Amino acid sequence: MIWASGWRLASAVSNAGGLGLIGAGSMYPEVLREHIQKCQQATDKPFGVNVPMIYPDIDKIMDIIIELGVKIVFTSAGNPKTWTRHLKQNGITVVHVVSSVKFALKAEEAGVDAIVAEGFEAGGHNGRDETTTLTLIPSVKEKINIPLIAAGGIATGRSMLAVMVLGADGVQVGSRFVASDEASSHHLFKKKVVEAGEGDTQLTLKELAPVRLIKNKFYNDVQQAYENGASVEQLKELLGRARAKRGMFEGDMEEGELEIGQVSALINEIKPASQIVSEIMQEFEEAKASISEI
Ligand code: NDP
């Protein structure tokens, strides 16, 4: 959700009854400070910050989170041991994002309060094992004793119910909120998400860090590089710097990297975040009622 989930989206989701998350990955420390402060002004409900640990300045990011009194942090793309103890000593609830049972167990051991298990369907950075949500959730549920939040492929009330039947205690929804009025994503990217259909996303660049993105010119260039037997160094060079910003924030639909989940095939309209939350909840309740009649 980098370049998508700033204070506008996070506060709108929290005000609608969800737990809004500010995606700190694309933010320099002082930009994050501004987003947290604006979010605090825009909602009196709980919200959190997601911190992918692959970015620079993580220590400054964590200092700001603690200084401004953020109560919930989701960490991802890194070792949960690095920050969990420090955050918890400062009264913060820590949730770590994983894509396998192995990493779920490591996160539990590191003392996190809950786990997000994210399946192969998910957009952006992803696991190497290609474990789908349908398999991942019950597998993780069997092994851990802390709350489990399912992610990857969830954009509707029915999919929310499905993963809760599989053992999830809650869900994390990303892609659906990219196509929201409040997302800071470029409008051309939102349009692209709405237009995406079956098979339009692919997991690629496993040699660097697996990422699911929309097939565009950049994706085709990566495929061509594979066909030419590109080395890891050549792939890195092709990726270059700030491809994600170029695509998702600046609106370059050809050369940019367009990270979104498979579930984009089910997203057909840009809507206010509050409507997305209420529609998911309504469909969830209706589906639950209809299933209990079976
Ligand atoms: P890059 O590492 O390519 O560039 C950094 C981006 O993050 C810039 O857009 C920059 O904004 C922004 N940024 C936010 N905070 C900071 C900071 N403190 N210092 C520097 N830049 C900051 O960013 P990506 O998001 O594309 O990739 C992140 C990581 O994931 C990289 O390690 C990248 O190699 C990897 N990656 C791997 C992929 C793969 O292997 N499949 C695919 C995509 C990324 P600004 O432009 O305004 O300076």
Side-chain angles (χ1 to χ4, degrees), residues 189-209:
F189 179 46
K190 294 185 189 182
K191 190 165 165 273
K192 196 91 177 162
V193 170
V194 165
E195 287 166 1
E198 186 182 57
D200 283 347
T201 71
Q202 188 79 34
L203 190 78
T204 187
L205 286 172
K206 277 192 175 180
E207 296 77 2
L208 307 183

Side-chain angles (χ1 to χ4, degrees), residues 21 74 95-99 114-122 131-141 144 146-175 177 263 280 284:
L21 294 180
F74 282 46
V95 182
H96 189 67
V97 184
V98 301
S99 57
I115 279 167
V116 174
E118 187 180 77
F120 176 64
E121 300 91 324
T131 310
T132 61
T133 302
L134 194 70
T135 304
L136 181 65
I137 299 308
S139 309
V140 173
K141 182 71 182 177
I144 65 160
I146 53 178
L148 171 60
I149 300 165
I154 302 159
T156 65
R158 285 185 174 274
S159 47
M160 174 170 161
L161 179 62
V163 290
M164 291 179 86
V165 169
L166 292 173
D169 301 293
V171 295
Q172 177 174 280
V173 177
S175 297
F177 287 108
V263 80
I280 289 176
F284 173 79

Side-chain angles (χ1 to χ4, degrees), residues 2-3 24-27 51-59 77 125 244 259:
I2 59 163
W3 304 112
S26 48
M27 297 179 184
V51 185
M53 294 185 272
I54 43 172
Y55 287 89
D57 293 333
I58 295 301
D59 43 354
H125 287 254
E259 300 179 5

Side-chain angles (χ1 to χ4, degrees), residues 14-183:
S14 288
N15 284 332
L19 177 70
L21 294 180
I22 295 175
S26 48
M27 297 179 184
Y28 284 86
E30 288 312 310
V31 175
L32 175 65
R33 177 188 293 282
E34 198 184 320
H35 278 262
I36 293 172
Q37 287 170 333
K38 286 188 171 162
C39 201
Q40 286 168 332
Q41 283 158 15
T43 184
D44 54 7
K45 304 283 192 315
F47 69 90
V49 176
N50 178 300
V51 185
M53 294 185 272
I54 43 172
Y55 287 89
D57 293 333
I58 295 301
D59 43 354
K60 284 190 199 144
I61 295 271
M62 295 303 192
D63 285 350
I64 289 171
I65 284 171
I66 292 165
E67 180 198 326
L68 295 181
V70 172
K71 295 278 176 278
I72 302 163
V73 169
F74 282 46
T75 52
S76 59
N79 188 340
K81 276 192 183 152
T82 319
W83 286 100
T84 300
R85 184 196 291 254
H86 182 61
L87 292 171
K88 286 184 67 71
Q89 278 168 349
N90 283 280
I92 294 173
T93 298
V94 182
V95 182
H96 189 67
V97 184
V98 301
S99 57
S100 67
V101 174
K102 186 171 110 188
F103 290 133
L105 288 168
K106 280 193 172 174
E108 186 176 38
E109 198 188 307
V112 304
D113 297 288
I115 279 167
V116 174
E118 187 180 77
F120 176 64
E121 300 91 324
H125 287 254
N126 206 308
R128 287 174 195 283
D129 297 334
E130 306 197 352
T131 310
T132 61
T133 302
L134 194 70
T135 304
L136 181 65
I137 299 308
S139 309
V140 173
K141 182 71 182 177
E142 222 172 72
K143 300 286 184 198
I144 65 160
N145 295 303
I146 53 178
L148 171 60
I149 300 165
I154 302 159
T156 65
R158 285 185 174 274
S159 47
M160 174 170 161
L161 179 62
V163 290
M164 291 179 86
V165 169
L166 292 173
D169 301 293
V171 295
Q172 177 174 280
V173 177
S175 297
R176 176 57 272 198
F177 287 108
V178 170
S180 71
D181 292 339
E182 293 87 349

Side-chain angles (χ1 to χ4, degrees), residues 242-258:
R243 279 261 179 203
K245 179 184 185 186
R246 190 164 171 185
M248 300 189 284
F249 194 64
E250 297 176 340
D252 186 338
M253 294 298 103
E254 296 301 318
E255 296 292 346
E257 190 192 79
L258 308 175

